[in-house]
Amino acid sequence: MDYIINHFDFFVDLIDFQITSNCVDFSLFKTICGLIVSLDQIKIPENIVNVEATHDKQQYSEIFLFTISTCMWCKKAKRWLNRQGFQYSYLDIDLIPVEDKNKLKAEIQEVFGVKPRFPFLVVNKIQWDSGYNPDIWEEMIN
Amino acid sequence: MNKQKSYEDVKEYVTRISIRNGWKLNSDKEQLDDLITGLQANFNRLGYYNCPCRDSQEDHQLDRDIICPCRYAEQDIKDYGYCYCTLYQQLDFDISRPLRMIPERRP
Ligand code: SF4
């Protein structure tokens, strides 16, 4: 799994090459997709909040944020995303039943291989960052 | 059912804690406000001052190490100049220093 993550660009290029040269090897594609960690592998409760973009630039990244509603760092994170004008979705994990929350945290840990701390950012379903690190986020998102 | 705490009650509580421990409160108005309202929400929902920046198990016993001031605050303030949430800071902490999230000490 780490190998795929570390060589993600290589695999993207490989798939890109196969598509452009019209010789797609679907078995390879499926293997890679099966190994790549993704937010889709996590069952997210329905209390998601969607925030609309406030700028009219094209946004290529899909942004999801797990937060705690009372957390100062999470509030900073939401304000930072708002200031950038990004469209994003978030889930305040402390506002869902504790059993669901524990299940969710366990799934995040299993899928992304890290014990999450909050805010926990996921970009394009596969890239993640644990904690509030706007310098890193800027690179991840742009 | 615990008596609900007002913003002022919480502010008084954290001020008292900071004085007792020889710390000072975060001087950024917006951050302090976020932290006090976070603690207030936690107290009024859970009945205790669960750390606003950490996830609760909604069980006083299980959360006892992260009831504010948490078990990790003293060491964090010594090592980094402020606690995990930045609420409490070393008296001589240079407020022009940018605040970054410090490592989580909780196991
Ligand atoms: S990190 Fe700071 S605000 Fe959070 S519980 Fe510890 S002392 Fe309180």
Side-chain angles (χ1 to χ4, degrees):
Chain A
M1 193 112 75
D2 282 350
Y3 181 80
I4 297 286
I5 295 166
N6 294 337
H7 298 82
F8 185 69
D9 287 345
F10 165 76
F11 286 109
V12 170
D13 287 346
L14 185 63
I15 292 166
D16 196 39
F17 169 76
Q18 292 195 351
I19 292 170
T20 48
S21 60
N22 251 339
C23 59
V24 181
D25 174 355
F26 282 104
S27 63
L28 173 74
F29 191 75
K30 267 162 68 186
T31 310
I32 292 168
C33 287
L35 286 169
I36 289 175
V37 295
S38 166
L39 193 61
D40 287 338
Q41 292 164 257
I42 298 172
K43 192 168 171 293
I44 300 176
E46 281 162 10
N47 319 39
I48 295 170
V49 178
N50 296 309
V51 180
E52 290 304 320
T54 54
H55 63 49
D56 43 21
K57 277 183 279 170
Q58 180 79 31
Q59 181 179 326
Y60 297 101
S61 309
E62 191 183 318
I63 305 168
F64 195 93
L65 198 62
F66 293 98
T67 45
I68 297 174
S69 69
T70 56
C71 165
M72 190 277 284
W73 295 111
C74 301
K75 290 177 190 173
K76 260 174 116 64
K78 289 172 189 166
R79 283 192 198 112
W80 184 84
L81 289 170
N82 293 342
R83 261 201 318 277
Q84 310 294 318
F86 292 132
Q87 177 184 27
Y88 66 100
S89 304
Y90 71 86
L91 175 74
D92 281 326
I93 61 149
D94 55 321
L95 302 183
I96 61 175
V98 74
E99 302 76 30
D100 297 350
K101 175 176 69 180
N102 288 341
K103 224 182 275 167
L104 176 69
K105 279 164 55 183
E107 281 183 33
I108 294 175
Q109 182 159 359
E110 194 184 309
V111 170
F112 293 111
V114 63
K115 187 175 172 190
R117 63 180 189 156
F118 301 95
F120 187 89
L121 176 79
V122 183
V123 175
N124 293 333
K125 299 186 186 223
I126 51 170
Q127 284 178 285
W128 56 268
D129 185 51
S130 197
Y132 176 62
N133 304 299
D135 299 344
I136 296 174
W137 291 12
E138 207 159 352
E139 278 185 29
M140 282 169 70
I141 294 170
N142 292 325
Chain B
M1 183 71 181
N2 279 286
K3 193 173 164 286
Q4 300 280 290
K5 298 276 187 205
S6 67
Y7 181 93
E8 284 311 316
D9 292 335
V10 182
K11 188 159 188 192
E12 200 187 304
Y13 173 76
V14 294
T15 305
R16 209 167 352 108
I17 295 292
S18 68
I19 293 168
R20 193 195 299 157
N21 288 284
W23 302 328
K24 64 178 176 184
L25 292 178
N26 187 328
S27 55
D28 181 297
K29 169 99 187 50
E30 185 177 69
Q31 290 174 12
L32 183 63
D33 204 59
D34 285 346
L35 289 159
I36 290 176
T37 51
L39 277 170
Q40 183 191 7
N42 278 348
F43 189 95
N44 290 341
R45 190 165 72 92
L46 306 167
Y48 51 90
Y49 286 122
N50 195 85
C51 178
C53 305
R54 290 185 174 108
D55 181 38
S56 156
Q57 283 304 299
E58 303 180 15
D59 178 316
H60 186 276
Q61 262 307 97
L62 295 176
D63 291 336
R64 64 189 186 283
D65 61 323
I66 52 166
I67 295 176
C68 190
C70 62
R71 198 177 287 166
Y72 315 101
E74 193 178 342
Q75 198 57 48
D76 281 339
I77 293 169
K78 261 192 205 134
D79 290 355
Y80 301 103
Y82 49 91
C83 69
Y84 186 76
C85 293
T86 76
L87 174 60
Y88 301 115
Q89 304 180 343
Q90 228 157 29
L91 271 186
D92 58 357
F93 182 73
D94 174 7
I95 56 166
S96 63
R97 253 178 64 189
L99 294 175
R100 302 204 176 279
M101 262 186 118
I102 60 173
E104 171 60 292
R105 204 180 282 275
R106 191 183 199 207

